[in-house]
């Protein structure tokens, strides 16, 4: 597969790079960013943290705002940040910020007009990791993390693929998308009206039925404006308690939904993943 390098920047003795490529899963060009720590070389393949961003974001938000490169370089962890949806003139879109381009919700759409392009689940679980591992000096020791819509995606994907990921974490995840406005709008459009089809993408429902899987760390800001209506971390906590799932959920007083929050605690998340990514 042909990769086109868009940009390259040295950072903490490692390299931040952006690439575009054609995605067979999504039937369109896609872009991703990768941070390669200084330890990554032909003689040393490093573990990878996949970061999934939230609504309206792209591959750039986390790499520019989270301040993760310093510690990732120290720990020897690569970071891959994909885009949040397929994009392009031929890709269906919506006037709302919470549906369409920039809002893929990390599902495989089954409904027209979305089903031809919006297959982010397949892209992230199969296509992108295969491309990353074949192209860059990284190993198959993987972790997955994300924010908001991406927190939903990271936890959902980790729960559905426990053998692929050593650990998973999230900031402010959409914890129970089947019963919140953002999730209901997206799931209705991408998956149809049969709510039984939604269950496979609902983190709280999956965790309730999964007593084992990658250990999970979740941080939630107590001053997040979306906390009560959209995020509902109490559903995730209840699911973990019901199944005995290894979840640590922290409610952080005074913090909101922004990258100020993520930057404040990203080091704890990176160290959490580093513990589980060791050989």
């Amino acid at each position: 597969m042909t990769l086109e390098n868009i940009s390259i920047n040295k950072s903490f003795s490692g390299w931040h790079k952006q690439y575009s490529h054609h995605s067979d899963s999504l039937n369109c060009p896609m872009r991703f960013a990768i941070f390669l720590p200084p330890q990554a070389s032909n003689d040393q393949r490093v573990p990878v943290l996949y970061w999934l961003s939230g609504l309206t974001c792209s591959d750039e938000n986390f790499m520019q705002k989270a301040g993760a490169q310093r510690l990732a370089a120290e720990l020897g962890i690569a970071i891959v940040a994909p885009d949040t949806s397929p994009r392009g003139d031929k890709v269906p879109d919506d006037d709302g910020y919470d549906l369409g381009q920039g809002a893929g919700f990390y599902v495989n759409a089954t409904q027209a007009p979305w089903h031809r392009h919006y297959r982010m689940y397949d892209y992230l679980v199969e296509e992108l990791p295969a491309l990353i591992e074949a192209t860059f000096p990284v190993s198959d020791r993987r972790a997955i993390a994300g924010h908001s819509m991406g927190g939903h995606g990271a936890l959902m994907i980790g729960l559905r693929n426990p053998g692929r990921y050593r650990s998973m974490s999230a900031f402010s995840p959409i914890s129970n998308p089947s019963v919140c406005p953002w999730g209901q709008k997206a799931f209705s459009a991408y998956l149809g009206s049969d709510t039984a089809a939604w269950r496979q993408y609902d983190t709280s429902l999956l965790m309730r039925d999964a007593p084992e899987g990658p250990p999970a760390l979740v941080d939630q800001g107590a001053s997040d404006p979306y906390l009560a209506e959209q995020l509902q971390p109490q559903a995730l906590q209840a699911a973990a308690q019901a199944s005995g799932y290894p979840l640590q959920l922290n409610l952080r007083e005074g913090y909101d939904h922004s990258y100020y929050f993520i930057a404040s605690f990203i080091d704890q998340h990176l160290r959490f993943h580093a513990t589980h990514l060791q050989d």
Side-chain angles (χ1 to χ4, degrees), residues 104-109 118-121 152 187 190-191 201:
F105 264 82
Y106 305 107
V107 305
N108 282 341
Y118 284 76
R119 301 188 63 82
M120 288 294 292
Y121 179 88
H152 137 75
F187 285 3
Y190 297 143
L191 305 173
Y201 297 112

Side-chain angles (χ1 to χ4, degrees), residues 63-116:
M63 293 300 202
Q64 294 181 3
K65 297 179 179 180
Q69 290 90 341
R70 178 192 57 79
L71 187 56
E74 177 184 323
L75 297 171
I77 298 175
I79 301 173
V80 172
D83 203 346
T84 54
S85 77
R87 297 184 193 265
D89 294 340
K90 296 182 180 180
V91 174
D93 200 4
D94 186 84
D95 291 337
Y97 72 95
D98 51 356
L99 185 67
Q101 295 187 35
F105 264 82
Y106 305 107
V107 305
N108 282 341
T110 58
Q111 306 298 303
W114 313 101
H115 63 293
R116 185 169 185 273

Side-chain angles (χ1 to χ4, degrees), residues 9-50:
N9 304 94
K10 194 165 188 178
S11 179
F12 295 98
S13 299
W15 293 98
H16 170 270
K17 303 180 180 183
Q18 280 182 307
Y19 290 91
S20 66
H21 71 103
H22 176 79
S23 167
D24 291 336
S25 300
L26 305 175
N27 293 300
C28 69
M30 284 295 287
R31 191 175 73 185
F32 68 86
I34 183 169
F35 173 72
L36 291 169
Q39 297 88 337
S41 68
N42 292 334
D43 298 322
Q44 182 175 352
R45 301 175 74 84
V46 298
V48 186
L49 173 66
Y50 290 87

Side-chain angles (χ1 to χ4, degrees), residues 187-208:
F187 285 3
S188 295
Y190 297 143
L191 305 173
S193 59
D194 182 4
T195 57
W198 301 3
R199 294 184 61 86
Q200 63 185 314
Y201 297 112
D202 190 303
T203 299
S204 291
L205 299 180
L206 291 168
M207 189 170 284
R208 185 172 289 275

Side-chain angles (χ1 to χ4, degrees), residues 1-7 17-23 29-34 36 123 127-128 130-136:
M1 183 179 293
T2 301
L3 285 176
E4 178 186 355
N5 182 231
I6 300 171
S7 69
K17 303 180 180 183
Q18 280 182 307
Y19 290 91
S20 66
H21 71 103
H22 176 79
S23 167
M30 284 295 287
R31 191 175 73 185
F32 68 86
I34 183 169
L36 291 169
Y123 176 68
E127 184 178 7
L128 183 60
L131 174 61
I132 296 296
E133 291 165 22
T135 306
F136 302 100

Side-chain angles (χ1 to χ4, degrees), residues 8 37 39 41-42 44 54 58 141 165-166 178 207 231 255:
I8 180 169
Q39 297 88 337
S41 68
N42 292 334
Q44 182 175 352
S58 71
R141 288 175 287 147
Y165 304 96
R166 302 282 188 93
S178 295
M207 189 170 284
L231 306 179
Y255 287 92

